[in-house]
Amino acid sequence: VRLVDPLEQKLLGGSKIRTILSSVESRLPVTVSSSGGSFDLVQWFLLRPAIKINDLAVGNPKGFSSEPMLAAKEASAQVRLLSLFHGPIDILQFKLVEPVLRIEPNRSGATNVEALAEGLSKSREPGAAGAAALAIGSLIVDSGSVSYQRGRAAGLTVRNIDLSLTDFSADRTCRLKLSARLFGGTSSRLEFQGQAGPYGARSLPARGDLAITLAPSEIPPALREEYFGDLLREPAGDSRAKFETALQGDLMGTLEGQGKL
């Protein structure tokens, strides 16, 4: 016990959790905070201790609201053991449980996500402070939500998002797998599998296979009218639209492809 206690204090103290968050924050142009956390040493003998972080919040870039851009009640990280003692924290896996991403535009029409990507791009310029890129072996989002605010117009929220990024870094291409339920329904669904990156100031190149299934009756009436006019004013409950395509382009601009509807 006398041998373990000092080691536990060095590894499991609250200051170490803050050190890990600071390591991430130093690579981002936004603030990162939490209400605390704890270590789970189930992976101890594999030299990969797991960290639980409570009430994780990633702030908005300058020029946007004071609301957090990303909030999650729980996050977990698996780190390389030796990096806890010295050097930058080596994150092997980072998982967010039920996070909410809030996308909002500023007065010029640019979104906070675009501003974050631009900040990441500037931080990688030669001589810039914190130029080291944030790199995570595996980034996982479990049952996330994205809320898109459109000024005075009604916002759009997509829920039940599952996302997996492998070899994630702002300065290289990563593998991406995404699935989401649309409009809060049970039949409308989106799936994308491919590659994305590297990030630019206002670009995120991507290519992959997209499959969308829509139940028109699940689309909110105001949204149906905005995008389809009278075409889908009273859709049959069992009607479905399916679309599959191979896409290539920019997630912040235009993705193009030919497919089957």
Side-chain angles (χ1 to χ4, degrees), residues 60 64-70 100-114 145-159 223 226-227:
N60 259 321
F64 294 88
S65 73
S66 59
E67 295 290 329
M69 182 173 65
L70 176 69
V100 177
L101 173 64
R102 189 176 187 273
I103 302 176
E104 61 178 77
N106 60 16
R107 293 181 179 179
S108 62
T111 67
N112 50 354
V113 174
E114 291 172 326
S145 300
V146 174
S147 174
Y148 178 55
Q149 309 299 316
R150 303 191 297 167
R152 295 182 179 180
L156 176 64
T157 300
V158 179
R159 296 181 175 86
L223 211 58
E226 179 178 353
Y227 287 99

Side-chain angles (χ1 to χ4, degrees), residues 28-42:
L28 297 174
V30 292
T31 60
V32 180
S33 63
S34 79
S35 64
S38 59
F39 278 78
D40 179 0
L41 300 185
V42 172

Side-chain angles (χ1 to χ4, degrees), residues 60-83:
N60 259 321
K62 292 182 179 179
F64 294 88
S65 73
S66 59
E67 295 290 329
M69 182 173 65
L70 176 69
K73 290 185 177 180
E74 181 182 321
S76 62
Q78 198 172 59
V79 302
R80 200 175 302 279
L81 177 63
L82 294 181
S83 71

Side-chain angles (χ1 to χ4, degrees), residues 217-229:
S217 61
E218 292 180 350
I219 304 174
L223 211 58
R224 290 204 306 265
E225 183 176 357
E226 179 178 353
Y227 287 99
F228 300 102

Side-chain angles (χ1 to χ4, degrees), residues 181-252:
R181 292 181 183 177
L182 305 175
F183 315 118
T186 57
S187 299
S188 298
R189 191 170 184 84
L190 176 150
E191 295 180 336
F192 181 84
Q193 187 166 348
Q195 296 180 326
Y199 293 84
R202 291 188 177 273
S203 66
L204 177 52
R207 58 188 174 93
D209 297 320
L210 174 70
I212 299 176
T213 300
L214 290 179
S217 61
E218 292 180 350
I219 304 174
L223 211 58
R224 290 204 306 265
E225 183 176 357
E226 179 178 353
Y227 287 99
F228 300 102
D230 291 334
L231 180 63
L232 297 177
R233 186 172 293 278
E234 296 180 0
D238 59 353
S239 61
R240 297 289 184 273
K242 295 183 179 181
F243 180 65
E244 296 179 347
T245 183
L247 289 177
Q248 186 166 348
D250 196 316
L251 284 173
M252 293 188 180

